[in-house]
Amino acid sequence: MTGMTDIGTIDKAELFIVKLPLVSPFVTSYGSVSHRESLLLKLTSGKLSGWGECAAFRDPDYYHETIDTSLHIAAGYLIPRLLKASGITPSTMSGLFTGIRGHHMPKAMIENAVFDLAARMAGVPLFKLLGGRGKRIRSGISLGIPPDIDTLLDQIRSAVKKKYHRVKVKIKKGWDLNIVSAIRSDFPYLNLVVDANGDYTVDDIPVMQMLDKFDLKMIEQPLAAGDLLGHSKVQEKIDTPLGLDESINGIHDAANAVFLKSGRIICIKQGRVGGLSKSLELMDFCLKNDLKVCCGGMLETGIGRAFNIHLQSVDGFELPGDISETSRYFEEDIVMEPVVLDQDGYINLPGGNGSGTQVDEEKVERFMVFRKILKR
Ligand code: OSB
Ligand code: MG
């Protein structure tokens, strides 16, 4: 595999920040966003290029890494090392980053772009390098907190019509039992999960016990990211599986969660855990330890969305995750082909080599708010 994926050296690294309007603001327990600002990377070697997208947001509200911290680390530390390296392959990335602690999101962006480039050079679709079989993936939609319950019920109705395999609704204190019971009376059999983004504490165990009566497939991140002990106290009291999202930065956190019995599902967001290779290692660890995994999303443009799709196509990601149609978030995207659901609600892998997406560079220019070029 290593021989097949050797891309030699990188001639040029271009960083971009684009700012795309969302079709409607995305509201969670921690705040609201009306645009997706994304840090992008284009790596060029000879005649071929690979792209990556950083999962970080503008603000440190969902997670402590931001676009600016990622840009700082990528341009100041990681990319200079990459430009000096030779014999580059996706699997040499973690060695290349040795000694630079944390900052999973820019590391993942670079690793993704190297994977894309390596697969394009080898003339294979990305899933082959990940050990996948290229099967279509199950879809999931994540619905933010709307102005009123009727709006949410309408959104769920359209999601069900499209055949989404799973609906996730954001909850927060005081916007929980009321909406879940309203949803359940209209959609008793819906594959429904809720995500609190850490809005509760162990004092809210009574609320969790009431939510437990609604056949939710998962309660995602009810407590703060660092509170694995608290999650274990909640999990002990309810049957609904807890899902850990923000809490999990890698295998060490998952091992702590296993020991403490903090939950039963790990939401793997490849940006947050440091890339595709780290995600696959984490998935193996979880499955060996009786944790299920689902593939999370970060409101990615078509670039990052494609990597998530390839990742979820690997055997092991049996639960539907966060991957939705492009039109769920964007009227205009920066890639040529939008992600759409098929008639059964599945998402097909993009065709072609690498991530399979073709970046619309005119659109990148149009939505660009920052650019930096680094050369070998
Ligand atoms: O907690 O899963 C989350 C989006 C941004 C930040 C955090 C989360 C989310 C989502 C949506 O739930 C995921 C997606 O549709 O890409
Ligand atoms: Mg979440």
PDB file of all heavy atoms in Angstrom, residues 62 168 170 195-197 220-221 245-246 267 269 272 322, ligand 2:
ATOM      1  N   TYR A  62     -18.345  25.174  19.884  1.00  0.00           N
ATOM      2  CA  TYR A  62     -18.521  23.715  19.895  1.00  0.00           C
ATOM      3  C   TYR A  62     -17.248  23.050  20.407  1.00  0.00           C
ATOM      4  O   TYR A  62     -17.296  22.080  21.166  1.00  0.00           O
ATOM      5  CB  TYR A  62     -18.857  23.204  18.482  1.00  0.00           C
ATOM      6  CG  TYR A  62     -18.612  21.721  18.308  1.00  0.00           C
ATOM      7  CD1 TYR A  62     -19.504  20.787  18.820  1.00  0.00           C
ATOM      8  CD2 TYR A  62     -17.459  21.260  17.663  1.00  0.00           C
ATOM      9  CE1 TYR A  62     -19.260  19.422  18.690  1.00  0.00           C
ATOM     10  CE2 TYR A  62     -17.211  19.905  17.533  1.00  0.00           C
ATOM     11  CZ  TYR A  62     -18.109  18.992  18.054  1.00  0.00           C
ATOM     12  OH  TYR A  62     -17.861  17.647  17.929  1.00  0.00           O
ATOM     13  N   LYS A 168     -31.676  13.663  13.778  1.00  0.00           N
ATOM     14  CA  LYS A 168     -31.123  14.142  15.050  1.00  0.00           C
ATOM     15  C   LYS A 168     -31.678  15.526  15.299  1.00  0.00           C
ATOM     16  O   LYS A 168     -31.656  16.375  14.405  1.00  0.00           O
ATOM     17  CB  LYS A 168     -29.595  14.172  14.930  1.00  0.00           C
ATOM     18  CG  LYS A 168     -28.856  14.925  16.005  1.00  0.00           C
ATOM     19  CD  LYS A 168     -27.404  14.461  16.051  1.00  0.00           C
ATOM     20  CE  LYS A 168     -26.423  15.579  15.770  1.00  0.00           C
ATOM     21  NZ  LYS A 168     -25.024  15.089  15.738  1.00  0.00           N
ATOM     22  N   LYS A 170     -31.518  18.894  17.894  1.00  0.00           N
ATOM     23  CA  LYS A 170     -30.761  19.539  18.954  1.00  0.00           C
ATOM     24  C   LYS A 170     -31.696  19.856  20.110  1.00  0.00           C
ATOM     25  O   LYS A 170     -32.811  20.339  19.889  1.00  0.00           O
ATOM     26  CB  LYS A 170     -30.140  20.842  18.416  1.00  0.00           C
ATOM     27  CG  LYS A 170     -29.106  20.615  17.320  1.00  0.00           C
ATOM     28  CD  LYS A 170     -27.838  20.023  17.895  1.00  0.00           C
ATOM     29  CE  LYS A 170     -26.747  19.928  16.845  1.00  0.00           C
ATOM     30  NZ  LYS A 170     -25.508  19.367  17.405  1.00  0.00           N
ATOM     31  N   ASP A 195     -29.362  15.656  20.590  1.00  0.00           N
ATOM     32  CA  ASP A 195     -27.992  16.101  20.855  1.00  0.00           C
ATOM     33  C   ASP A 195     -28.045  17.390  21.676  1.00  0.00           C
ATOM     34  O   ASP A 195     -28.602  18.389  21.227  1.00  0.00           O
ATOM     35  CB  ASP A 195     -27.268  16.346  19.517  1.00  0.00           C
ATOM     36  CG  ASP A 195     -25.795  16.696  19.685  1.00  0.00           C
ATOM     37  OD1 ASP A 195     -25.332  16.835  20.833  1.00  0.00           O
ATOM     38  OD2 ASP A 195     -25.103  16.841  18.652  1.00  0.00           O
ATOM     39  N   ALA A 196     -27.466  17.340  22.886  1.00  0.00           N
ATOM     40  CA  ALA A 196     -27.550  18.494  23.798  1.00  0.00           C
ATOM     41  C   ALA A 196     -26.302  19.368  23.751  1.00  0.00           C
ATOM     42  O   ALA A 196     -26.281  20.433  24.374  1.00  0.00           O
ATOM     43  CB  ALA A 196     -27.771  17.998  25.222  1.00  0.00           C
ATOM     44  N   ASN A 197     -25.258  18.924  23.066  1.00  0.00           N
ATOM     45  CA  ASN A 197     -23.994  19.673  23.054  1.00  0.00           C
ATOM     46  C   ASN A 197     -23.605  20.165  24.451  1.00  0.00           C
ATOM     47  O   ASN A 197     -23.224  21.318  24.649  1.00  0.00           O
ATOM     48  CB  ASN A 197     -24.046  20.838  22.059  1.00  0.00           C
ATOM     49  CG  ASN A 197     -24.039  20.357  20.609  1.00  0.00           C
ATOM     50  OD1 ASN A 197     -25.060  20.433  19.924  1.00  0.00           O
ATOM     51  ND2 ASN A 197     -22.921  19.843  20.158  1.00  0.00           N
ATOM     52  N   GLU A 220     -27.035  12.294  22.570  1.00  0.00           N
ATOM     53  CA  GLU A 220     -25.653  12.671  22.257  1.00  0.00           C
ATOM     54  C   GLU A 220     -25.200  13.800  23.183  1.00  0.00           C
ATOM     55  O   GLU A 220     -25.902  14.796  23.356  1.00  0.00           O
ATOM     56  CB  GLU A 220     -25.585  13.114  20.781  1.00  0.00           C
ATOM     57  CG  GLU A 220     -24.178  13.416  20.262  1.00  0.00           C
ATOM     58  CD  GLU A 220     -24.161  13.611  18.735  1.00  0.00           C
ATOM     59  OE1 GLU A 220     -24.862  12.865  18.006  1.00  0.00           O
ATOM     60  OE2 GLU A 220     -23.468  14.531  18.271  1.00  0.00           O
ATOM     61  N   GLN A 221     -24.043  13.585  23.764  1.00  0.00           N
ATOM     62  CA  GLN A 221     -23.336  14.581  24.561  1.00  0.00           C
ATOM     63  C   GLN A 221     -24.254  15.396  25.468  1.00  0.00           C
ATOM     64  O   GLN A 221     -24.327  16.619  25.353  1.00  0.00           O
ATOM     65  CB  GLN A 221     -22.576  15.539  23.617  1.00  0.00           C
ATOM     66  CG  GLN A 221     -21.433  16.299  24.301  1.00  0.00           C
ATOM     67  CD  GLN A 221     -20.268  15.401  24.708  1.00  0.00           C
ATOM     68  OE1 GLN A 221     -19.804  14.590  23.944  1.00  0.00           O
ATOM     69  NE2 GLN A 221     -19.802  15.553  25.932  1.00  0.00           N
ATOM     70  N   ASP A 245     -19.607  12.771  21.745  1.00  0.00           N
ATOM     71  CA  ASP A 245     -19.132  13.520  20.576  1.00  0.00           C
ATOM     72  C   ASP A 245     -17.942  14.376  21.024  1.00  0.00           C
ATOM     73  O   ASP A 245     -16.785  13.922  20.965  1.00  0.00           O
ATOM     74  CB  ASP A 245     -20.310  14.341  20.025  1.00  0.00           C
ATOM     75  CG  ASP A 245     -19.957  15.246  18.866  1.00  0.00           C
ATOM     76  OD1 ASP A 245     -18.841  15.159  18.356  1.00  0.00           O
ATOM     77  OD2 ASP A 245     -20.810  16.064  18.442  1.00  0.00           O
ATOM     78  N   GLU A 246     -18.209  15.571  21.553  1.00  0.00           N
ATOM     79  CA  GLU A 246     -17.141  16.475  21.990  1.00  0.00           C
ATOM     80  C   GLU A 246     -16.164  15.836  22.986  1.00  0.00           C
ATOM     81  O   GLU A 246     -15.017  16.272  23.098  1.00  0.00           O
ATOM     82  CB  GLU A 246     -17.737  17.717  22.680  1.00  0.00           C
ATOM     83  CG  GLU A 246     -18.487  18.679  21.794  1.00  0.00           C
ATOM     84  CD  GLU A 246     -19.978  18.371  21.760  1.00  0.00           C
ATOM     85  OE1 GLU A 246     -20.354  17.196  21.551  1.00  0.00           O
ATOM     86  OE2 GLU A 246     -20.767  19.312  21.914  1.00  0.00           O
ATOM     87  N   CYS A 267     -19.308   9.173  18.543  1.00  0.00           N
ATOM     88  CA  CYS A 267     -19.504   9.919  17.304  1.00  0.00           C
ATOM     89  C   CYS A 267     -18.123  10.313  16.795  1.00  0.00           C
ATOM     90  O   CYS A 267     -17.482  11.188  17.386  1.00  0.00           O
ATOM     91  CB  CYS A 267     -20.327  11.172  17.543  1.00  0.00           C
ATOM     92  SG  CYS A 267     -21.869  10.775  18.356  1.00  0.00           S
ATOM     93  N   LYS A 269     -15.879  12.188  14.565  1.00  0.00           N
ATOM     94  CA  LYS A 269     -15.738  13.276  13.597  1.00  0.00           C
ATOM     95  C   LYS A 269     -14.276  13.279  13.232  1.00  0.00           C
ATOM     96  O   LYS A 269     -13.409  13.507  14.097  1.00  0.00           O
ATOM     97  CB  LYS A 269     -16.151  14.602  14.213  1.00  0.00           C
ATOM     98  CG  LYS A 269     -17.646  14.635  14.469  1.00  0.00           C
ATOM     99  CD  LYS A 269     -18.163  15.984  14.812  1.00  0.00           C
ATOM    100  CE  LYS A 269     -19.673  15.911  14.953  1.00  0.00           C
ATOM    101  NZ  LYS A 269     -20.204  17.049  15.705  1.00  0.00           N
ATOM    102  N   ARG A 272     -12.029  16.102  14.319  1.00  0.00           N
ATOM    103  CA  ARG A 272     -11.768  16.239  15.750  1.00  0.00           C
ATOM    104  C   ARG A 272     -10.783  15.207  16.278  1.00  0.00           C
ATOM    105  O   ARG A 272     -10.074  15.453  17.253  1.00  0.00           O
ATOM    106  CB  ARG A 272     -13.094  16.150  16.508  1.00  0.00           C
ATOM    107  CG  ARG A 272     -13.093  16.802  17.879  1.00  0.00           C
ATOM    108  CD  ARG A 272     -14.318  16.406  18.678  1.00  0.00           C
ATOM    109  NE  ARG A 272     -14.411  14.972  18.728  1.00  0.00           N
ATOM    110  CZ  ARG A 272     -15.467  14.252  18.326  1.00  0.00           C
ATOM    111  NH1 ARG A 272     -16.552  14.844  17.912  1.00  0.00           N
ATOM    112  NH2 ARG A 272     -15.445  12.944  18.369  1.00  0.00           N
ATOM    113  N   ASP A 322     -24.300  11.705  10.619  1.00  0.00           N
ATOM    114  CA  ASP A 322     -24.741  13.090  10.384  1.00  0.00           C
ATOM    115  C   ASP A 322     -24.717  13.479   8.909  1.00  0.00           C
ATOM    116  O   ASP A 322     -24.835  14.665   8.610  1.00  0.00           O
ATOM    117  CB  ASP A 322     -23.771  14.073  11.070  1.00  0.00           C
ATOM    118  CG  ASP A 322     -23.948  14.141  12.581  1.00  0.00           C
ATOM    119  OD1 ASP A 322     -25.029  13.807  13.073  1.00  0.00           O
ATOM    120  OD2 ASP A 322     -22.979  14.546  13.256  1.00  0.00           O
TER     121      ASP A 322
HETATM  122 MG    MG B   2     -22.927  16.376  18.551  1.00  0.00          MG
END
